[in-house]
Amino acid sequence: MTGTVLVYVQHLLGIGHLQRARHIAAALAAAGLEVRLVAGGERPAGLAAPLGVEIFDLAPVKARDAGFRDLVGPDGAPLDDALRARRRDALLGIFAATRPDAVLLEGFPFGRRAFRFELDPLVAAARSRTPRPLLLSSIRDILVAPQDEARRRDIVRRVNTEFDAVLVHGDPRLVTLKRSFPPAREIAGRLVYTGYVAAPDPPPETADGRGEVLVSAGGGAEGERLLRAALAARRGGCLADSRWRLVAGPNLPDAAFEGLARDVPAGVLVERSRADLAAMLAHCRLSISQAGYNTVLEILAARARAVLVPFAAARETEQLLRAEILAARGAAETLGPDRLSPEALAGAIGRALSRPPPALVVDLGGAARSARLIARMIASPRDVRELVSRQSEVIIPV
C-alpha cells in the first residue's frame, strides 16, 4: 500500500486527543502508509513517535485552565496574532512539503474552533490542490457539542461540503453520535464508526497493581481534587487492607504532586506516571479514575471494577455522559464531581466492589479499521463516496 497521510492534532489540557491520534498514526504506518503527525500542544516528556511516524511539533499552545477560554503559548503569554501566523505558516509549509494523499483533522470542524486561524487555511489549501487530497475528520465517541444552533448548522454545512468522511471512533452499540450531536442524521452520508481506538499492543506484564486500589488522574491537569479525596478516604480507613497507588499524571503541577506525596500513610504509593497502568488494571482490586476516553477503554479491556468521577468543568459534558452510559450498563459506579468527598467516594467504592466484574464488550479495533479505510480511500479516490456509504450501511445504525 502506498500513500501519505497528514494527521493534525491539538490537545489543550489532557493528553487523550494526542494519544488517540498517535494510535491511529501508528496503525496507518503499519498499513504501509507514510505518516506525518502534526502536534499543536505540549508533548509530554518521553512520548516518542510511533514506529514509521514522523512528528512535527508546532509552537505549543495549551489552555491555562479547565475553562479552555484562555489559550497560552510556549512562554505562558496569551495566544497572539504573531504566534497564530507562525503556526499557520508552519502548518501550511508542512502540508506543501508533504503533499499528502489524505489529511486527517482530529476534532475539526466539530471542535477546535479557536484554531480556525490555521485550520481554515489548511482546508482551503487542500481543497485547491490538484490532485485534491482526501479531507477527513476524526472524532471520539462523545462530543462537547455547541449549544448554539448557528454553530451546529455551520458544522453540518462544512462536513457536507468540505469533508469526504467523518471517522467516529466509537462503538454504536454503546453510544451513537446523535447522543451528543443531535444533527448527526444530516451528515449520515459522511459518517463511519470505526470502533474505539485503543493502544495497539497488549500491555506489558507487571507484578505491580495486584490486589491494589489504583487511583489514576489521566493527564493529571485537573486531577488533584480526585487524588486528594481518594487519599482522604484511605486515611479514613477505606480499604485499609489493600495497597493504594495514586498515579498523578504528567500534567499535575509539581507543587500539587509534592504535596500529595508528602507524609502519605503506610501502604500508599504516589507516582507521577506508569507506562504499565493498563496491565496493572487487569489484576487490581479497584480502579478509581476520571472518565476520559483512553482511561475508560483500559478499564473495560481489563474488566476492572471501577469508580468513575468524571471531569465536568465549564461545558465539558463528555466525561459525564460517558460515565452515565457505563453506569447504566452496569460497567462502573459513577460519582458526580459535584458530590465528590472522601465519604461519598468511600460509599461509591463499597457499591463498586459489590458488583460483579464488568462484562461489557465494545469494539476496540478502531485504529486498525481507520487505517484500512483510509488506505482504501487513497487507493480508490473516485469511489470514496460509495465506500463510505457501504461502510455506513454495514457499521452504522444511524
Side-chain angles (χ1 to χ4, degrees), residues 170-173 193-198 297 361-366 369 395:
D171 186 334
R173 295 173 299 179
Y193 284 82
T194 68
Y196 283 96
V197 174
L297 294 189
V361 176
V362 296
D363 188 330
L364 300 178
R369 189 174 291 112
I395 299 174

Side-chain angles (χ1 to χ4, degrees), residues 92-368:
L92 291 176
I94 295 167
F95 171 78
T98 300
R99 293 193 61 81
D101 299 287
V103 177
L104 183 68
L105 302 181
E106 203 281 329
F108 193 74
F110 298 87
R112 296 298 180 254
R113 186 178 175 84
F115 292 85
R116 289 182 62 177
F117 65 86
E118 62 192 17
L119 291 173
D120 282 348
L122 176 61
V123 169
R127 286 174 55 79
S128 64
R129 203 196 76 194
T130 304
R132 184 179 73 80
L134 297 166
L135 267 172
L136 309 171
S137 177
S138 166
I139 60 175
R140 65 191 174 207
D141 57 340
I142 297 170
L143 300 177
V144 179
Q147 299 302 309
D148 179 32
E149 182 61 24
R151 288 264 315 270
R152 290 183 178 182
R153 303 308 312 167
D154 185 59
I155 292 169
V156 169
R157 177 191 63 79
R158 295 199 68 167
V159 167
N160 283 329
T161 60
E162 298 176 350
F163 285 77
D164 295 287
V166 176
L167 277 58
V168 184
H169 304 304
D171 186 334
R173 295 173 299 179
L174 183 63
V175 59
T176 61
L177 185 62
K178 184 182 177 182
R179 185 77 179 267
S180 59
F181 187 70
R185 286 186 178 276
E186 299 177 42
I187 54 174
R190 298 289 196 280
L191 295 182
V192 178
Y193 284 82
T194 68
Y196 283 96
V197 174
D201 301 317
E205 290 296 327
T206 179
D208 290 341
R210 191 170 301 280
E212 295 181 354
V213 178
L214 295 180
V215 186
S216 57
E222 291 296 321
E224 182 179 2
R225 184 164 169 254
L226 172 60
L227 294 166
R228 289 196 176 280
L231 189 56
R234 170 61 180 78
R235 288 183 188 279
C238 181
L239 300 188
D241 57 333
S242 292
R243 172 182 283 177
W244 286 53
R245 190 184 299 265
L246 278 60
V247 183
N251 294 331
L252 184 75
D254 289 339
F257 178 78
E258 292 164 5
L260 285 167
R262 191 181 304 121
D263 191 31
V264 296
V268 177
L269 301 174
V270 179
E271 299 178 324
R272 173 61 81 176
S273 62
R274 289 293 298 241
D276 56 354
L277 181 62
M280 290 195 291
L281 284 168
H283 45 240
C284 72
R285 184 176 181 183
L286 179 73
S287 168
I288 302 171
S289 71
Q290 295 176 327
Y293 183 98
N294 295 310
T295 298
V296 163
L297 294 189
E298 291 175 347
I299 290 170
L300 292 177
R303 297 192 64 198
R305 290 181 174 89
V307 174
L308 299 177
V309 185
F311 168 66
R315 292 177 47 253
E316 291 297 304
T317 56
E318 168 234 343
Q319 290 198 19
L320 187 61
L321 178 55
R322 185 178 294 113
E324 290 173 351
I325 290 169
L326 292 175
R329 299 288 289 270
E333 181 69 29
T334 293
L335 180 64
D338 56 330
R339 296 178 51 227
L340 179 61
S341 69
E343 297 75 20
L345 183 58
I349 289 170
R351 292 191 296 275
L353 289 176
S354 69
R355 298 174 180 265
L360 180 63
V361 176
V362 296
D363 188 330
L364 300 178

